[in-house]
DNA sequence: GAATGAAGACCGACTGGTTGGTCTGTCTAC
DNA sequence: GTAGACAGACCAACCAGTCGGTCTTCATTC
């Protein structure tokens, strides 16, 4: 029980993940964290603030990773691969944060919500921009509407929180491999696929199988 | 105010969509529906049952559509197109049902939850099976793991509820067009893309543009 | 190096308001 | 006259948050 604040966050995370934000009362959090009402409200101004802190932790991480990938790499093909890879990996690190986030984010008080929405939008537009950039250079199929295609990517990755299990059949790396492959297959023009391996950051695990 | 039961369902749907299941009390539902506690509990045994009814309405529809598509069409390419198309279209019909469903389904009492999970799993496996079938006939890329690929499809489509607006830039038909195109691009072997138009149920709207 | 005191960490009984659900009863239709 | 449809006062449970108080830590003073 080193740091009570951290302890409360982790305990609530488990509880929220299992029963949802509204399925857990402050009293239950307090009991599970082996502290008291006083202890809780000493560290958080409200139950809502706790929710906000959970959200912010993970979304700040995602955004930073994506921005880094955007700077490190130059070609859109590499960028989109790196973004998907790091994005998918976040689910390994912050699975319960993300579950809570998507299940409860619409209950956030306005003052918190504005902050969150900004970061989410930044990330979304980063993805859109990479797609548009790839279309401009001719590396990606020009006929695809960038917004719909972008939302397809965000959707398939975000949905991971619903089904991914750390002890499941596939590792997060394998999922990242497949997702990157799927996305490149629909982004790249058909003629380009012959050369696709030259662009690849690494060869997906399933290319040797079957 | 013909049928009070229907009235209550539709009113709550609007309220839940805006404030979430937990953000709306039975008293508020009752007031908005211009009835009383007695009226409400005459038609529903609990607030949870109302949630269940909302869930069941839409998921039963999705499943029926997909099963029909699975029977009507014979080739996996056609099947997957039809399933995606009908799946995407559900968001036009049942947007608020679906929002409530994904935001609150984990609060469902066990007795309701079991029923729901069964139908969801049926749908999921239907998608998996179509992919495996296509791989068996050689129409789809054999190297892709069917489960991950299937979850990618389910994810991108399910995510629609987060961003689709009836009065948005793109119609639901256009979204279905793009999604079907994306999916076929990653499912079909590269060599097959030259012939892809022969398989297509219809030409996507964006193929003529740009 | 003992005494002082102030600030932060934490405790838990308590409160005011709300919630889902009940129950008695009335009003209508057949 | 009986059964379903609805009304609305009522209730126990519970909830997030408060507040007066204690215990610990540690810099400051003599």
């Amino acid at each position: 029980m080193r740091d009570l604040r951290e302890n409360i966050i982790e305990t609530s995370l488990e509880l929220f993940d299992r029963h949802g934000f509204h399925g857990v009362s402050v009293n239950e959090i307090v009991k599970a964290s082996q502290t008291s009402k006083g202890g809780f409200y000493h560290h958080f101004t409200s139950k809502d603030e706790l929710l906000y802190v959970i959200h912010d932790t993970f979304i700040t991480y995602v955004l930073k990773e994506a921005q880094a990938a955007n700077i490190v790499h130059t070609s859109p093909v590499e960028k989109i691969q790196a973004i998907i890879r790091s994005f998918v990996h976040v689910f390994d690190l912050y699975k319960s944060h993300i579950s809570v986030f998507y299940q409860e984010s619409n209950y956030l008080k306005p003052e918190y919500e504005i902050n969150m929405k900004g970061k989410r939008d930044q990330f979304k537009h980063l993805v859109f921009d990479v797609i548009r950039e790839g279309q401009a250079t001719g590396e990606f199929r020009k006929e695809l509407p960038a917004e719909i295609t972008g939302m397809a990517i965000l959707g398939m990755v975000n949905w991971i929180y619903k089904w991914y299990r750390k002890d499941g059949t596939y590792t997060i790396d394998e999922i990242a491999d497949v997702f990157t492959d799927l996305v490149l297959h629909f982004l790249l023009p058909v003629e380009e696929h012959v050369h696709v391996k030259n662009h690849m950051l690494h060869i997906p695990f399933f290319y040797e199988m079957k």
Side-chain angles (χ1 to χ4, degrees), chain A:
Chain A
M1 305 307 130
R2 279 336 248 301
D3 191 343
L4 180 61
R5 194 186 140 94
E6 273 311 308
N7 182 6
I8 290 174
I9 293 176
E10 279 189 35
T11 310
S12 336
L13 222 30
E14 271 176 56
L15 293 172
F16 290 163
D17 197 16
R18 232 174 323 150
H19 308 109
F21 183 72
H22 294 277
V24 182
S25 70
V26 176
N27 272 321
E28 286 170 315
I29 294 172
V30 151
K31 214 167 77 184
S33 311
Q34 284 169 299
T35 178
S36 62
K37 273 290 179 71
F40 182 93
Y41 283 98
H42 179 71
H43 289 288
F44 303 96
T45 65
S46 66
K47 196 185 171 195
D48 279 311
E49 204 210 34
L50 171 59
L51 188 55
Y52 169 79
V53 170
I54 289 171
H55 289 181
D56 198 57
T57 308
F58 122 83
I59 210 156
T60 303
Y61 179 91
V62 176
L63 188 56
K64 212 178 283 175
E65 285 285 306
Q67 283 166 337
N70 194 35
I71 293 168
V72 171
H73 299 283
T74 48
S75 98
V77 176
E78 284 175 3
K79 280 184 186 180
I80 203 84
Q81 285 182 73
I83 290 173
I84 292 173
R85 181 158 293 274
S86 72
F87 191 13
V88 169
H89 271 88
V90 175
F91 290 85
D92 212 36
L93 285 170
Y94 292 111
K95 170 75 176 358
S96 43
H97 291 68
I98 295 167
S99 295
V100 175
F101 174 76
Y102 285 126
Q103 276 158 29
E104 321 290 347
S105 62
N106 50 323
Y107 291 108
L108 270 177
K109 294 264 163 64
E111 61 260 40
Y112 299 120
E113 225 242 295
I114 289 165
N115 191 321
M116 299 279 76
K117 201 175 157 1
K119 288 185 184 167
R120 267 184 281 166
D121 282 355
Q122 260 183 280
F123 180 71
K124 194 174 78 188
H125 284 108
L126 203 150
V127 173
F128 289 177
D129 286 346
V130 171
I131 295 174
R132 290 205 194 88
E133 192 187 335
Q135 290 178 319
T137 64
E139 287 170 87
F140 295 162
R141 291 162 59 207
K142 285 200 172 73
E143 66 269 27
L144 292 172
E147 294 86 4
I148 302 184
T149 310
M151 290 317 294
I153 296 173
L154 294 181
M156 59 193 260
V157 179
N158 276 322
W159 200 248
I160 291 176
Y161 87 94
K162 288 271 190 188
W163 56 275
Y164 173 64
R165 298 283 113 89
K166 261 207 168 88
D167 55 356
T169 317
Y170 297 100
T171 67
I172 203 76
D173 276 301
E174 290 170 342
I175 294 168
D177 268 14
V178 176
F179 276 25
T180 309
D181 180 79
L182 298 179
V183 170
L184 286 182
H185 265 82
F186 66 56
L187 279 180
L188 298 175
V190 174
E191 321 84 59
E192 275 299 311
H193 280 288
V194 211
H195 313 298
V196 75
K197 285 192 181 176
N198 304 332
H199 295 279
M200 282 200 167
L201 294 176
H202 88 134
I203 307 297
F205 80 100
F206 56 91
Y207 267 38
E208 310 303 329
M209 293 164 54
K210 280 194 177 150

